[in-house]
Amino acid sequence: MRLLRSGSIVLFSNCVDVAAVLVRNVLLARLLSVTEFGLAATFAILMTIVETFQNVGLNRLVVQDPRADDPAFVSNLHGAQIVVSFMATILLILVAFIFAAATNTISQTGDYLILTVVPLINAFTNLDIFRMQRDGHFAPQALRSLLSQPLGLLAILPAYWFFHDHRVALAAILTQQVSAVALSHVGVQQSYRVSFDGTIARHAFRFGWPLVVNGLLMFFILNGDRMIVLNRFGPEALGWFSAALMLTMIPSNLAAKSLQTLALPALAKTQARPQDHAHLYTVLIALSALLAMTLTVGALLLGAAVLDLLFGARFHAAAAYIVPLACLNALRLFRAAPAIAALASAETRSPLYTNIVRLAGVPAALAIAATTGRIDAMILAGIGAELAAAYCAGLFTNVPHGRMHDGYYATLALLAASITLVLLAHYVNGYYALLLAAPFAIVGLRLAGLTANRSSILAAIPRLGQHKAAEQSKIYP
């Protein structure tokens, strides 16, 4: 019952969060011209860099590390967070100029510099909102998700009245960030305190530096296509391409975020119980594959209609790319499963190695875009790179119960088969979609079999407060 309640809270809050993002972008698309919407999309690209430079994974470390129930440990993480945030701001000032030059948006440099204050804002986030998830308390984080994005949404209309251009998106982003930090102090068990311990800071660095490098790789992976479109085809093309990308990224990001929020604490706390840990991980693989398949089929059946309904006829050119973009994001969603398992074991390098493989697809996409002038060919290159990265995840990721079992590759093969059928249905003949029933049934039955024994899953989730006394007695290394 507790697992079901926690899952419902997380899913509902994440749905509100992504729904607000969707409504924000739809409202911007309706208010602005396609070109101005494309310029507004550059803020979303730069925000990925902002998040990367300050992402040393402290929010995940405070969930993974058993010492996190000690208030002194969290206080020292707050000190490390402030240091990281100030360093991130300095780096971003330089990046803002480079980004403007690389994307041919020199006139927007001043707006990009304003975004560099975001790390300074986030420096004062209370990490206890994440620590509480160790014991199954998701309500404070849910409240943060429920309110921060809608507050950013409310800033759009007054900002539009004042600016009447792409800077509306900048006002919405800043409002959302300030709201998120303020709400991180609501409903927590430990008040915000700051101290600094060099030993803990070094531990946080060892945990986080692969995540920062991985984040830089993810920046080019997630935004490489958009930067290529902006550079090769201009801001108008970026406008409608961003609309298609958003419609496929929002559901995949929702699924990945929800899976991480629920699975990471459970996997972290079952490392000493290999059988329970392995069972949870196997369920995670099957569930992520089923969600990925659902994303591709939904895009095939409803993608163009939803695009026209939300964004209007001005963005219809993007309809041709929704299905391949959904396939690309489906593979990215599936790769979240081994990444979550690695994080639960404090193994932050495995996702980094996997994304190095994926990054190889970015120059290939650039070369294809330059030689063919076709955006869909560029996306197909990305799908191939995502498939290679998903395969390598099985080679690079280690978990406490051993190297990933053959079931991972069997599930990946089924997902690849379903993606192939979806692409054939999109480009060749819609009747290929009928064959999708087979991989769907196999993965669905597999997941049903894994979850049939409900007691085994609930046993893998530690009861509230279990082992807490032992954890608090541990000292710093």
Side-chain angles (χ1 to χ4, degrees):
M1 181 63 68
R2 200 186 69 155
L3 177 63
L4 180 62
R5 183 173 61 252
S6 297
S8 300
I9 291 173
V10 170
L11 180 61
F12 177 71
S13 63
N14 286 344
C15 284
V16 172
D17 183 84
V18 299
V21 173
L22 175 62
V23 172
R24 183 182 73 191
N25 282 278
V26 169
L27 187 56
L28 289 173
R30 293 289 184 174
L31 291 173
L32 305 175
S33 67
V34 178
T35 300
E36 286 292 325
F37 184 75
L39 292 174
T42 62
F43 295 137
I45 298 173
L46 193 59
M47 272 301 298
T48 308
I49 306 180
V50 172
E51 293 164 358
T52 294
F53 278 139
Q54 65 178 65
N55 180 26
V56 293
L58 297 180
N59 59 333
R60 283 164 281 185
L61 177 61
V62 82
V63 174
Q64 186 275 332
D65 199 300
R67 297 170 297 172
D69 288 319
D70 183 352
F73 182 78
V74 179
S75 176
N76 284 308
L77 289 184
H78 285 149
Q81 179 176 249
I82 292 174
V83 173
V84 168
S85 297
F86 274 86
M87 292 174 61
T89 296
I90 295 171
L91 288 172
L92 282 169
I93 292 173
L94 175 63
V95 168
F97 291 97
I98 298 174
F99 178 79
T103 57
N104 297 321
T105 55
I106 300 296
S107 61
Q108 314 306 319
T109 304
D111 298 331
Y112 299 152
L113 288 173
I114 293 176
L115 276 182
T116 63
V117 305
V118 171
L120 297 179
I121 296 171
N122 289 331
F124 302 99
T125 298
N126 191 339
L127 293 172
D128 194 56
I129 200 170
F130 303 105
R131 182 204 61 81
M132 292 171 64
Q133 296 175 14
R134 289 177 52 82
D135 297 320
H137 296 301
F138 296 96
Q141 173 62 15
L143 179 67
R144 185 176 185 239
S145 297
L146 284 171
L147 296 180
S148 63
Q149 288 289 2
L151 287 172
L153 177 62
L154 291 175
I156 289 179
L157 290 180
Y160 179 74
W161 175 80
F162 191 80
F163 293 117
H164 280 85
D165 59 23
H166 59 276
R167 289 173 291 179
V168 175
L170 179 61
I173 290 172
L174 292 176
T175 302
Q176 185 273 325
Q177 293 290 319
V178 171
S179 301
V181 171
L183 289 166
S184 72
H185 296 267
V186 177
V188 294
Q189 295 174 342
Q190 299 176 9
S191 59
Y192 180 83
R193 292 185 176 88
V194 178
S195 56
F196 189 83
D197 184 288
T199 301
I200 295 178
R202 286 190 293 273
H203 173 66
F205 176 78
R206 287 193 300 271
F207 180 89
W209 78 257
L211 295 176
V212 174
V213 178
N214 183 56
L216 288 173
L217 297 180
M218 285 301 298
F219 165 75
F220 290 105
I221 291 168
L222 292 172
N223 298 291
D225 292 343
R226 284 197 283 185
M227 294 178 70
I228 292 170
V229 169
L230 178 59
N231 185 274
R232 303 294 303 183
F233 304 101
E236 183 176 359
L238 176 63
W240 50 255
F241 180 82
S242 295
L245 185 63
M246 183 193 65
L247 284 182
T248 59
M249 282 189 68
I250 280 182
S252 65
N253 287 347
L254 168 63
K257 182 179 179 181
S258 299
L259 289 175
Q260 176 171 298
T261 302
L262 286 172
L264 181 58
L267 287 168
K269 282 204 167 186
T270 55
Q271 294 178 75
R273 306 200 302 276
Q275 185 176 0
D276 291 336
H277 190 94
H279 184 76
L280 278 172
Y281 180 56
T282 306
V283 170
L284 181 62
I285 290 173
L287 181 57
S288 62
L290 190 63
L291 291 172
M293 290 180 180
T294 303
L295 171 63
T296 60
V297 174
L300 179 66
L301 299 178
L302 302 172
V306 172
L307 177 73
D308 290 342
L309 176 66
L310 294 178
F311 291 92
R314 292 182 300 160
F315 290 83
H316 185 73
Y321 308 113
I322 288 181
V323 170
L325 284 172
C327 293
L328 186 148
N329 281 297
L331 286 166
R332 190 172 293 150
L333 168 59
F334 181 71
R335 287 203 291 123
I340 293 169
L343 283 174
S345 305
E347 176 49 66
T348 54
R349 298 187 187 188
S350 300
L352 169 62
Y353 300 150
T354 301
N355 280 324
I356 290 174
V357 176
R358 172 60 183 92
L359 187 63
V362 175
L366 176 59
I368 289 173
T371 55
T372 66
R374 293 179 59 88
I375 292 177
D376 55 350
M378 177 187 73
I379 300 171
L380 291 174
I383 292 174
E386 282 289 348
L387 185 59
Y391 177 83
C392 290
L395 302 176
F396 298 148
T397 302
N398 290 289
V399 287
H401 55 277
R403 192 167 290 277
M404 292 181 0
H405 51 77
D406 293 338
Y408 172 83
Y409 290 106
T411 307
L412 176 60
L414 289 170
L415 176 58
S418 69
I419 286 174
T420 301
L421 291 172
V422 167
L423 290 173
L424 287 172
H426 177 66
Y427 286 111
V428 182
N429 191 310
Y431 287 109
Y432 281 102
L434 298 176
L435 301 176
L436 286 166
F440 252 102
I442 295 172
V443 175
L445 290 173
R446 171 66 171 161
L447 182 61
L450 290 169
T451 57
N453 187 358
R454 180 173 177 268
S455 61
S456 67
I457 296 178
L458 292 178
I461 310 297
R463 289 185 175 85
L464 184 63
Q466 187 176 3
H467 308 307
K468 183 173 291 188
E471 291 171 357
Q472 289 179 337
S473 67
K474 296 181 180 180
I475 61 174
Y476 301 150

